[in-house]
Amino acid sequence: FAFPVQWVEKFSASADTSRGRRVFWGRVASGHVEPGQRITVLPSNQHATVAQVLSHTREPKAVHAGHSAGIVLDRELDVSRGDWLLAPDAFEPVREITATVAWLDDEPLVAGRVYWALQGHRWVKAKVARIAHRLNVNTLEAEDATQLEPNAIGEVVLALQQPLAVLPFTQSRALGSMVLVDTASHRTSAAVLVRAPAQPAASL
């Protein structure tokens, strides 16, 4: 189970302290969610139990991957937009990933540059630790490269400022994709497909 929190709704009857007083809304990225399920919050690593699950029409019911849900926890936790609710011990958050990137910016991609990475609704800083290779789109062969020009496709290693729960894109579209955004111009610089997590992380 993996669930990116998109927005937080506070109960009108907020004096009830028998359980959490907020509904966390989003789309289930993988697995399913139902009452009684244990979850871990990323990045805070807090733990709780699901007290109630609402469908997009606010009906109490279990919700599966690809569908919107509202989740109420059994206790009040500090959870915000961009956090992830995850099955405990199902993911090992990592700070370095190997990924295929489609470079969209006018400025070439070079190792050492830092960008904003957006996964789900969470923003983290990401440094291009190294460029592994560029893909020759005519022969589909990997070529040595020190930079990626506009519209080029290549494999890079990204070092993340904070840990993320990821899966290869071939296993999960939601957990295996992100975009890179230029920190100065705020332009979308690259589409990113996660190939595999990597350890250890390079520091920013």
Side-chain angles (χ1 to χ4, degrees):
F1 168 66
F3 178 86
V5 177
Q6 184 174 2
W7 63 283
V8 180
E9 174 190 356
K10 188 175 182 180
F11 285 150
S12 56
S14 58
D16 181 8
T17 58
S18 62
R19 61 182 184 181
R21 292 174 285 178
R22 293 178 294 169
V23 186
F24 306 113
W25 290 96
R27 185 183 297 264
V28 179
S30 65
H32 76 284
V33 58
E34 60 186 1
Q37 200 167 314
R38 292 287 293 170
I39 62 95
T40 298
V41 181
L42 187 72
S44 66
N45 203 34
Q46 302 172 96
H47 302 277
T49 299
V50 176
Q52 185 180 23
V53 179
L54 303 175
S55 70
H56 70 285
T57 57
R58 293 182 176 268
E59 298 177 71
K61 61 183 296 186
V63 178
H64 294 263
H67 298 277
S68 298
I71 298 175
V72 181
L73 301 178
D74 67 332
R75 61 193 183 96
E76 193 70 11
L77 293 182
D78 183 13
V79 179
S80 305
R81 174 183 168 90
D83 289 354
W84 285 78
L85 307 185
L86 304 168
D89 304 320
F91 298 91
E92 182 65 37
V94 296
R95 295 185 61 174
E96 189 168 275
I97 59 173
T98 300
T100 298
V101 300
W103 191 246
L104 309 174
D105 208 331
D106 294 333
E107 296 292 328
L109 170 66
V110 295
R113 287 287 305 275
V114 176
Y115 297 87
W116 283 110
L118 174 63
Q119 183 208 36
H121 308 289
R122 185 178 175 201
W123 294 91
V124 301
K125 288 284 186 69
K127 183 173 75 174
V128 182
R130 64 184 179 89
I131 299 173
H133 61 252
R134 175 177 52 228
L135 180 70
N136 185 315
V137 296
N138 296 312
T139 65
L140 300 183
E141 293 181 350
E143 301 175 341
D144 291 338
T146 58
Q147 65 179 33
L148 295 181
E149 297 76 18
N151 300 317
I153 298 174
E155 184 175 302
V156 304
V157 175
L158 296 176
L160 307 171
Q161 189 178 44
Q162 297 178 344
L164 290 178
V166 299
L167 286 175
F169 182 78
T170 53
Q171 296 181 30
S172 171
R173 179 176 179 180
L175 289 156
S177 65
M178 61 186 71
V179 295
L180 296 183
V181 176
D182 189 279
T183 58
S185 67
H186 305 294
R187 292 194 303 264
T188 299
S189 298
V192 180
L193 305 182
V194 176
R195 294 178 60 86
Q199 294 284 5
S203 59
L204 289 180

